[in-house]
Amino acid sequence: MNTDTMELHAGRGAHSAAMARLDPEIRGLLLALGVLCAAAVAFAPHFATAGNLLDVLRQLAFTGIVAYGMTLVIVAGEIDVSVGSAIAFSSALFGTLVASLGLPLWLAAVAVVALGTAIGAGAGAIRAWFNIPSFIVTLALFSALRGAAMLMTDAIPVPILEAGFERWGSGTLLGIPVPALVLLALFVVFSVLASRTAFGRAVYAIGGNAEAAHLSGIPVARTRVLLFAQTGGLAALAGLLMTSRLGSGNPNIGYGVEFAVITAVIVGGASLYGGKGSMLGTLLGGLFIVVLNNAMVLLGINSYAQDVANGVVVLLAVLVSSRAGLPAGWRLRRMPRA
């Protein structure tokens, strides 16, 4: 056997070993994504062009950034349906601070992210200390933040004319869109946060069994506050990038983002029952949804049919998650009695 053949076999062996280490759901998602991309290249005009692929990365970034935070929220057995309105609120607030009050871009951006984080922390505190379901708390924010955004701007976009601002959402660095670079950087940060820190271990423990986590000394209330704080901050950051892309503080953006984000997390293998989920799965789940929607647009498929396709994908993902990832207690309760 010559050297080239040995190197080829070694490379294949390393690839097989790497695939074997992946979670079965991740392997299945990679396979589905590969099939989807192959079909898109074959049937969707211009899918594989550089310009379209860059657009795919931008679209992925705007939802994927928030999806990292949502992954931890869902892993902890919670939900946050306010992120779309939080994006609109941050955009409207940023436009008001820059265009109406004359704040520098950097100072307005810091203020917006800080306030978004504080609002999220407040929602987490209400959830933790008053034991109100997170769906109800964030549903209230869903309405309140959208209304506040409309009030600030009279429901009219606020133009932002500062030079260089458009580069935040539309610029590139080394040929890669800036939002995509932010997405990749946050992937590293949140992957480490979820798998290598005490906070990440606490999140998974709470999702598995919150009462047992509390009895073992994990600060459940504080962890929940931090969970919603980081989601609020990420939504504000995504709002800033969308604002840059549009060139105005716009209270009408962010509609449906919460559902797109939750879809990415669920398709990525997270369990709605808590205790299960990964950043890699979320990234791949988000990419799958974006590629699917992009291909359907290129094929000229009706937007209503696209919504139907997205709903089917979510349902299938939940069914797979329910069969593969139900906690033992839930499985026992669902068993028919003798």
Side-chain angles (χ1 to χ4, degrees):
M1 184 179 294
N2 59 37
T3 303
D4 290 342
T5 303
M6 292 175 65
E7 289 178 351
L8 179 60
H9 283 294
R12 288 176 176 172
H15 177 266
S16 299
M19 288 296 291
R21 286 194 296 269
L22 290 175
D23 184 275
E25 289 188 15
I26 297 294
R27 293 202 300 269
L29 184 55
L30 281 170
L31 177 61
L33 183 59
V35 171
L36 177 62
C37 288
V41 170
F43 299 107
H46 313 298
F47 174 80
T49 61
N52 184 65
L53 294 178
L54 290 178
D55 284 340
V56 167
L57 286 176
R58 286 193 185 93
Q59 294 166 24
L60 174 62
F62 293 136
T63 56
I65 288 171
V66 186
Y68 294 145
M70 187 68 77
T71 300
L72 294 178
V73 169
I74 290 178
V75 165
E78 307 290 344
I79 198 73
D80 187 344
V81 297
S82 70
V83 292
S85 295
I87 286 172
F89 176 79
S90 66
S91 179
L93 177 61
F94 185 78
T96 301
L97 293 176
V98 173
S100 300
L101 301 182
L103 264 64
L105 291 175
W106 69 269
L107 183 57
V110 170
V112 166
V113 173
L115 183 57
T117 303
I119 291 173
I126 294 171
R127 163 67 184 102
W129 294 328
F130 294 94
N131 203 30
I132 300 174
S134 56
F135 176 79
I136 301 300
V137 176
T138 57
L139 185 63
L141 272 183
F142 171 86
S143 177
L145 290 177
R146 180 70 66 177
M150 295 294 184
L151 284 172
M152 272 190 290
T153 61
D154 290 328
I156 299 172
V158 180
I160 300 174
L161 306 176
E162 274 68 9
F165 176 59
E166 73 282 353
R167 289 199 295 270
W168 295 13
S170 302
T172 60
L173 182 63
L174 301 177
I176 302 174
V178 171
L181 293 174
V182 175
L183 176 76
L184 294 175
L186 288 174
F187 172 75
V188 175
V189 171
F190 275 83
S191 294
V192 172
L193 183 67
S195 61
R196 302 293 180 87
T197 67
F199 174 75
R201 290 189 290 271
V203 169
Y204 280 88
I206 292 169
N209 189 320
E211 184 177 352
H214 174 71
L215 293 175
S216 66
I218 292 174
V220 175
R222 186 177 68 187
T223 302
R224 283 172 172 161
V225 172
L226 292 174
L227 278 172
F228 288 94
Q230 53 91 29
T231 309
L234 290 173
L237 175 59
L240 292 177
L241 294 174
M242 289 186 185
T243 301
S244 170
R245 179 82 169 154
L246 296 171
S248 63
N250 195 329
N252 299 300
I253 64 174
Y255 282 106
V257 169
E258 54 279 332
F259 301 110
V261 168
I262 293 170
T263 297
V265 177
I266 298 305
V267 171
S271 171
L272 287 171
Y273 302 103
K276 180 186 175 188
S278 71
M279 297 303 155
L280 177 58
T282 292
L283 181 62
L284 294 174
L287 182 59
F288 183 91
I289 296 299
V290 170
V291 169
L292 176 64
N293 288 332
N294 180 264
M296 288 192 291
V297 168
L298 292 176
L299 289 170
I301 295 175
N302 185 285
S303 61
Y304 302 121
Q306 295 176 34
D307 291 337
V308 172
N310 285 326
V312 170
V313 168
V314 173
L315 180 59
L316 290 174
V318 171
L319 289 174
V320 170
S321 176
S322 296
R323 290 182 62 84
L326 266 177
W330 279 86
R331 286 197 292 267
L332 288 172
R333 285 195 292 271
R334 287 187 170 198
M335 290 175 62
R337 295 180 179 178

